[in-house]
């Protein structure tokens, strides 16, 4: 029996934009169906709440600061391998269809298939645009035309054309080992979808939590700058209504349904992973979009493993998992070569033990939204650690944050200076600093340890940890050499002097 893995992802989708995560007002039957014979992870997190960097971790198994793509418009570091390259090296067929966002270009991509993927099925957003007339290109970016006449036909959309190619890939490879990624841009703006979908949500009010009223007192300065005048708005009757976004959300669900139908027809024993790159604040904490925060609304993402390899139906796993765990899981599933430089953990164990705990903690980060423009706050170095209960956020340039997610799930109360939780805070801090060292974070240094609340912080030192942390060799690389001797290193981490 062939081994097959289908990864389906969306862009800008919160967990509460799906019925299976508890929002009965959302129409998402196709995605919801994956839970029928699968595992829904209730504490899954993106590595960075920005499109490109999030994908960089999903497809390399390295955090953005390690793989080089720590901002939109910054390509992966040249020696970093994607999962496509690793599986091709193992003679497993690979296909990537949809938004890539890792080539260092603009939002749409270059239209060129990178190494590791089948060029026959490569189809990014530039390929889609290149098929359109000038008029249709502009129409494809203007959601306002949805309300004109009959609106859009499904066949016009990027989502539909991605689904078509995914279905063909599945048919062609039904008797072979393969790994397929279907990466939809929807429900990300401009929310292009047939008119009937946004019409479903014309009068729909998205459920809001108490953090819609967050005054941002004792919160980071850049959150307040981000909120702007909204800090002063009366929110006693505030409603969250985004029919275009929610319509696009239900439309992409229907397109995913087409792919799932092909999966059930031709490759019913494949393992399915469903996730999204990040969420959207949707006015929570008086801010919008995604970017330089670690609030649950944007880093907590849907994550479902489904299919006959999963020994469990309608199971909920309540422990933290990360997008950094995806590449190790895929390699493990195919019994492929494991690599010591990967920074997550395989989730294969949960296929047999669906409620198993894999991680004690996971990590997220932020560097910059995009280098091509300066309209999203600029450089905001952030590092975050999340356990099953607590979240510590280091905002290097301003106020840090600590939340008890059990008592305060909406992150209203910043406990960073609270004596009662100082031991928990400091232990998380030590764990976070250790992670920065272990992952060769190029932005690490003494300033991350010397926070205003850390009374036992070590003195500032120019030499910091006095360690050399060289790169572990990949399958096509020679061992790096020691600067002092010119000889191949025997271990990658050692004292500098």
């Amino acid at each position: 029996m062939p081994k097959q893995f289908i990864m389906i992802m969306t862009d800008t989708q919160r967990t509460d934009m799906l019925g299976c995560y508890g929002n009965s007002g959302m129409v998402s039957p196709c995605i919801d169906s994956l839970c029928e014979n699968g595992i829904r992870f209730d504490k899954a997190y993106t590595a960075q709440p920005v499109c490109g960097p999030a994908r960089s971790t999903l497809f390399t198994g390295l955090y953005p600061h390690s793989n080089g793509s720590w901002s939109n418009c910054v390509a992966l570091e040249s020696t970093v391998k994607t999962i496509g390259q690793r599986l091709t090296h193992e003679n497993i067929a690979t296909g990537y269809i949809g938004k890539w966002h890792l080539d260092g270009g603009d939002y749409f991509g270059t239209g060129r298939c990178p190494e590791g993927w089948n060029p026959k099925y490569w189809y990014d957003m530039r390929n889609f645009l290149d098929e359109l007339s000038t008029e249709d290109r502009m129409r494809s970016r203007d959601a306002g035309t949805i309300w004109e006449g009959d609106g859009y036909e499904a066949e016009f959309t990027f989502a539909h054309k991605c689904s078509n190619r995914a279905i063909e890939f599945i048919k062609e490879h039904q008797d072979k080992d393969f790994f397929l990624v279907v990466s939809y841009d929807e429900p990300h703006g401009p929310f292009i979808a047939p008119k009937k979908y946004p019409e479903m949500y014309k009068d729909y009010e998205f459920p809001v939590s108490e953090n819609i009223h967050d005054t941002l007192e004792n919160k980071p300065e850049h959150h307040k700058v981000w909120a702007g005048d909204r800090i002063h708005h009366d929110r006693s009757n505030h409603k969250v209504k985004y029919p275009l976004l929610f319509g696009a959300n239900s439309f992409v669900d229907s397109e995913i349904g087409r792919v799932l139908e092909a999966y059930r027809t031709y490759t019913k024993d494949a393992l399915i992973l469903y996730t999204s790159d990040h969420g959207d604040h949707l006015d929570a904490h008086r801010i919008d979009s995604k970017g330089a925060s670690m609030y649950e609304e944007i880093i907590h993402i849907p994550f479902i493993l489904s299919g006959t390899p999963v020994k469990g139906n309608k199971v909920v796993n309540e422990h933290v998992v990360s997008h950094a765990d995806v590449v190790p899981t895929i390699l493990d599933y195919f019994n492929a070569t494991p690599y010591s430089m990967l920074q997550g953990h395989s989730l294969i164990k949960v296929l047999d033990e669906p409620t198993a705990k894999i991680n004690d903690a996971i990590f997220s980060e932020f560097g910059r939204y995009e280098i091509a423009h300066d309209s999203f706050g600029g450089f905001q170095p952030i590092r975050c650690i999340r356990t099953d209960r607590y979240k510590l956020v280091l905002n290097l340039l301003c106020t840090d944050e600590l939340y008890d997610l059990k008592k305060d799930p909406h992150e209203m109360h910043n406990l960073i200076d609270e004596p009662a939780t100082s031991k928990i805070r400091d232990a998380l801090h030590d764990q976070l600093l250790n992670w920065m060292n272990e992952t060769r974070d190029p932005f690490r240094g003494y300033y991350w340890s010397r926070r205003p609340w850390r009374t036992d912080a070590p003195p500032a030192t120019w030499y910091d940890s006095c360690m050399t942390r060289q790169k572990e060799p990949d399958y096509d690389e020679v061992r790096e050499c020691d600067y002092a001797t010119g000889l191949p290193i025997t271990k990658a981490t050692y004292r500098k002097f």
Side-chain angles (χ1 to χ4, degrees), residues 324-336:
D325 299 328
V326 171
V327 166
T329 302
I330 297 166
L331 292 172
D332 204 356
Y333 180 73
F334 285 105
N335 297 314

Side-chain angles (χ1 to χ4, degrees), residues 283-301:
D283 298 344
H285 305 283
R286 299 181 187 256
I287 52 184
D288 63 358
S289 192
K290 70 275 187 180
S293 95
M294 292 291 138
Y295 289 127
E296 291 289 288
E297 285 78 10
I298 63 169
I299 69 168
H300 180 206
I301 40 83

Side-chain angles (χ1 to χ4, degrees), residues 465-483:
S465 63
C466 293
M467 301 297 290
T468 291
R469 301 180 187 277
Q470 291 186 244
K471 184 183 176 185
E472 294 283 1
D474 218 318
Y475 61 76
D476 58 350
E477 297 174 336
V478 297
R479 194 75 160 153
E480 291 187 350
C481 294
D482 187 323
Y483 176 81

Side-chain angles (χ1 to χ4, degrees), residues 192-369:
I192 301 302
K195 191 175 183 177
K196 68 178 183 179
Y197 292 98
E199 283 183 335
M200 293 162 52
Y201 297 96
K202 268 193 169 181
D203 300 316
Y204 174 73
E205 295 178 14
F206 192 75
V208 298
S209 67
E210 63 176 316
N211 63 24
I212 209 81
H213 305 291
D214 192 353
T215 63
L216 297 179
E217 183 179 357
N218 197 27
K219 297 292 184 74
E221 179 189 20
H222 67 274
H223 294 185
K224 300 170 187 175
V225 174
W226 193 348
D229 291 342
R230 284 172 290 193
I231 288 181
H232 310 294
H233 290 174
D234 177 10
R235 291 203 158 195
S236 54
N237 293 307
H238 187 76
K239 294 179 174 59
V240 175
K241 300 180 71 173
Y242 293 104
L244 290 176
L245 169 63
F246 301 139
N249 189 62
S250 288
F251 171 56
V252 75
D253 178 80
S254 71
E255 287 297 329
I256 289 168
R258 296 178 60 222
V259 176
L260 294 181
E261 182 179 355
Y263 143 70
R264 289 166 182 142
T265 301
Y266 302 106
T267 58
K268 63 182 187 306
D269 293 317
L271 181 61
I272 302 284
L273 168 61
Y274 177 77
T275 191
S276 189
D277 58 350
H278 55 73
D280 190 296
H281 284 101
L282 295 183
D283 298 344
H285 305 283
R286 299 181 187 256
I287 52 184
D288 63 358
S289 192
K290 70 275 187 180
S293 95
M294 292 291 138
Y295 289 127
E296 291 289 288
E297 285 78 10
I298 63 169
I299 69 168
H300 180 206
I301 40 83
F303 195 100
I304 301 168
L305 278 172
S306 182
T308 55
V310 179
K311 292 180 173 59
N313 300 318
K314 300 180 181 179
V315 180
V316 177
N317 186 300
E318 298 181 347
H319 303 297
V320 288
V321 297
S322 166
H323 277 167
D325 299 328
V326 171
V327 166
T329 302
I330 297 166
L331 292 172
D332 204 356
Y333 180 73
F334 285 105
N335 297 314
T337 305
Y339 293 90
S340 59
M341 77 285 291
L342 298 179
Q343 295 165 349
H345 301 97
S346 172
L347 303 176
I348 284 296
K349 181 180 179 180
V350 304
L351 300 184
D352 293 320
E353 302 175 42
T355 60
K357 182 175 183 176
I358 304 299
N359 300 301
D360 291 325
I362 57 86
F363 304 89
S364 292
E365 65 180 82
F366 187 83
R368 188 185 190 92
Y369 183 84

Side-chain angles (χ1 to χ4, degrees), residues 181-196:
V181 179
V182 193
S183 174
Y184 296 96
D185 186 45
E186 295 80 2
H188 190 290
F191 319 121
I192 301 302
K195 191 175 183 177
K196 68 178 183 179

